[in-house]
mmCIF file of all heavy atoms in Angstrom:
data_model
loop_
_atom_site.group_PDB
_atom_site.id
_atom_site.type_symbol
_atom_site.label_atom_id
_atom_site.label_comp_id
_atom_site.label_asym_id
_atom_site.label_seq_id
_atom_site.Cartn_x
_atom_site.Cartn_y
_atom_site.Cartn_z
ATOM 1 N N ARG Q 31 3.110 9.272 10.406
ATOM 2 C CA ARG Q 31 2.223 8.554 11.320
ATOM 3 C C ARG Q 31 1.673 7.294 10.654
ATOM 4 O O ARG Q 31 1.614 6.222 11.282
ATOM 5 C CB ARG Q 31 1.062 9.453 11.769
ATOM 6 C CG ARG Q 31 0.152 8.767 12.784
ATOM 7 C CD ARG Q 31 -1.130 9.517 13.055
ATOM 8 N NE ARG Q 31 -1.930 8.805 14.039
ATOM 9 C CZ ARG Q 31 -2.666 7.724 13.783
ATOM 10 N NH1 ARG Q 31 -2.701 7.224 12.555
ATOM 11 N NH2 ARG Q 31 -3.360 7.128 14.747
ATOM 12 N N GLU Q 32 1.250 7.407 9.401
ATOM 13 C CA GLU Q 32 0.737 6.232 8.706
ATOM 14 C C GLU Q 32 1.810 5.153 8.615
ATOM 15 O O GLU Q 32 1.523 3.960 8.764
ATOM 16 C CB GLU Q 32 0.257 6.617 7.306
ATOM 17 C CG GLU Q 32 -1.026 7.445 7.312
ATOM 18 C CD GLU Q 32 -1.546 7.702 5.910
ATOM 19 O OE1 GLU Q 32 -0.830 7.387 4.928
ATOM 20 O OE2 GLU Q 32 -2.668 8.228 5.789
ATOM 21 N N ALA Q 33 3.061 5.574 8.376
ATOM 22 C CA ALA Q 33 4.136 4.609 8.196
ATOM 23 C C ALA Q 33 4.550 3.935 9.501
ATOM 24 O O ALA Q 33 5.032 2.798 9.488
ATOM 25 C CB ALA Q 33 5.344 5.297 7.570
ATOM 26 N N THR Q 34 4.352 4.622 10.613
ATOM 27 C CA THR Q 34 4.823 4.082 11.896
ATOM 28 C C THR Q 34 3.710 3.515 12.760
ATOM 29 O O THR Q 34 3.938 2.591 13.548
ATOM 30 C CB THR Q 34 5.565 5.173 12.688
ATOM 31 O OG1 THR Q 34 4.704 6.312 12.843
ATOM 32 C CG2 THR Q 34 6.823 5.608 11.948
ATOM 33 N N VAL Q 35 2.493 4.060 12.632
ATOM 34 C CA VAL Q 35 1.360 3.631 13.463
ATOM 35 C C VAL Q 35 0.309 2.897 12.645
ATOM 36 O O VAL Q 35 -0.222 1.864 13.046
ATOM 37 C CB VAL Q 35 0.726 4.845 14.190
ATOM 38 C CG1 VAL Q 35 -0.480 4.402 15.008
ATOM 39 C CG2 VAL Q 35 1.760 5.543 15.062
ATOM 40 N N GLY Q 36 0.009 3.450 11.467
ATOM 41 C CA GLY Q 36 -1.017 2.860 10.617
ATOM 42 C C GLY Q 36 -1.967 3.909 10.104
ATOM 43 O O GLY Q 36 -2.030 5.032 10.612
ATOM 44 N N VAL Q 37 -2.725 3.564 9.088
ATOM 45 C CA VAL Q 37 -3.686 4.479 8.477
ATOM 46 C C VAL Q 37 -4.965 4.478 9.301
ATOM 47 O O VAL Q 37 -5.589 3.427 9.487
ATOM 48 C CB VAL Q 37 -3.980 4.076 7.024
ATOM 49 C CG1 VAL Q 37 -5.040 4.988 6.424
ATOM 50 C CG2 VAL Q 37 -2.709 4.113 6.192
ATOM 51 N N GLY Q 38 -5.343 5.657 9.800
ATOM 52 C CA GLY Q 38 -6.524 5.747 10.641
ATOM 53 C C GLY Q 38 -6.370 4.850 11.853
ATOM 54 O O GLY Q 38 -5.341 4.845 12.522
ATOM 55 N N ASP Q 39 -7.402 4.063 12.118
ATOM 56 C CA ASP Q 39 -7.362 3.111 13.232
ATOM 57 C C ASP Q 39 -7.117 1.682 12.762
ATOM 58 O O ASP Q 39 -7.296 0.732 13.525
ATOM 59 C CB ASP Q 39 -8.692 3.163 14.000
ATOM 60 C CG ASP Q 39 -8.929 4.529 14.633
ATOM 61 O OD1 ASP Q 39 -7.939 5.145 15.083
ATOM 62 O OD2 ASP Q 39 -10.100 4.975 14.663
ATOM 63 N N SER Q 40 -6.698 1.540 11.487
ATOM 64 C CA SER Q 40 -6.583 0.196 10.919
ATOM 65 C C SER Q 40 -5.337 -0.549 11.393
ATOM 66 O O SER Q 40 -5.315 -1.785 11.375
ATOM 67 C CB SER Q 40 -6.540 0.287 9.383
ATOM 68 O OG SER Q 40 -5.322 0.877 8.953
ATOM 69 N N GLY Q 41 -4.304 0.182 11.773
ATOM 70 C CA GLY Q 41 -3.043 -0.461 12.100
ATOM 71 C C GLY Q 41 -2.256 -0.905 10.879
ATOM 72 O O GLY Q 41 -1.161 -1.458 11.004
ATOM 73 N N ILE Q 42 -2.793 -0.644 9.676
ATOM 74 C CA ILE Q 42 -2.133 -1.049 8.425
ATOM 75 C C ILE Q 42 -1.171 0.052 7.992
ATOM 76 O O ILE Q 42 -1.553 1.216 7.892
ATOM 77 C CB ILE Q 42 -3.170 -1.314 7.319
ATOM 78 C CG1 ILE Q 42 -4.083 -2.469 7.734
ATOM 79 C CG2 ILE Q 42 -2.474 -1.620 5.997
ATOM 80 C CD1 ILE Q 42 -5.269 -2.672 6.819
ATOM 81 N N ARG Q 43 0.064 -0.323 7.744
ATOM 82 C CA ARG Q 43 1.095 0.649 7.399
ATOM 83 C C ARG Q 43 1.505 0.508 5.931
ATOM 84 O O ARG Q 43 1.596 -0.613 5.416
ATOM 85 C CB ARG Q 43 2.318 0.462 8.298
ATOM 86 C CG ARG Q 43 2.026 0.733 9.766
ATOM 87 C CD ARG Q 43 3.252 0.495 10.626
ATOM 88 N NE ARG Q 43 3.635 -0.909 10.621
ATOM 89 C CZ ARG Q 43 4.798 -1.356 11.105
ATOM 90 N NH1 ARG Q 43 5.682 -0.512 11.595
ATOM 91 N NH2 ARG Q 43 5.066 -2.646 11.084
ATOM 92 N N PRO Q 44 1.761 1.617 5.254
ATOM 93 C CA PRO Q 44 2.180 1.569 3.851
ATOM 94 C C PRO Q 44 3.604 1.055 3.715
ATOM 95 O O PRO Q 44 4.417 1.165 4.630
ATOM 96 C CB PRO Q 44 2.085 3.034 3.400
ATOM 97 C CG PRO Q 44 2.297 3.819 4.657
ATOM 98 C CD PRO Q 44 1.641 3.005 5.750
ATOM 99 N N GLY Q 45 3.921 0.529 2.531
ATOM 100 C CA GLY Q 45 5.258 0.053 2.255
ATOM 101 C C GLY Q 45 6.045 0.970 1.350
ATOM 102 O O GLY Q 45 7.220 0.709 1.063
ATOM 103 N N ILE Q 46 5.397 2.061 0.882
ATOM 104 C CA ILE Q 46 6.056 3.005 -0.013
ATOM 105 C C ILE Q 46 5.297 4.325 0.033
ATOM 106 O O ILE Q 46 4.108 4.346 0.394
ATOM 107 C CB ILE Q 46 6.111 2.440 -1.457
ATOM 108 C CG1 ILE Q 46 7.148 3.175 -2.312
ATOM 109 C CG2 ILE Q 46 4.727 2.454 -2.108
ATOM 110 C CD1 ILE Q 46 7.499 2.443 -3.598
#
Side-chain angles (χ1 to χ4, degrees):
R31 183 191 181 282
E32 289 185 351
T34 55
V35 178
V37 177
D39 297 324
S40 69
I42 298 171
R43 296 178 294 168
I46 198 165

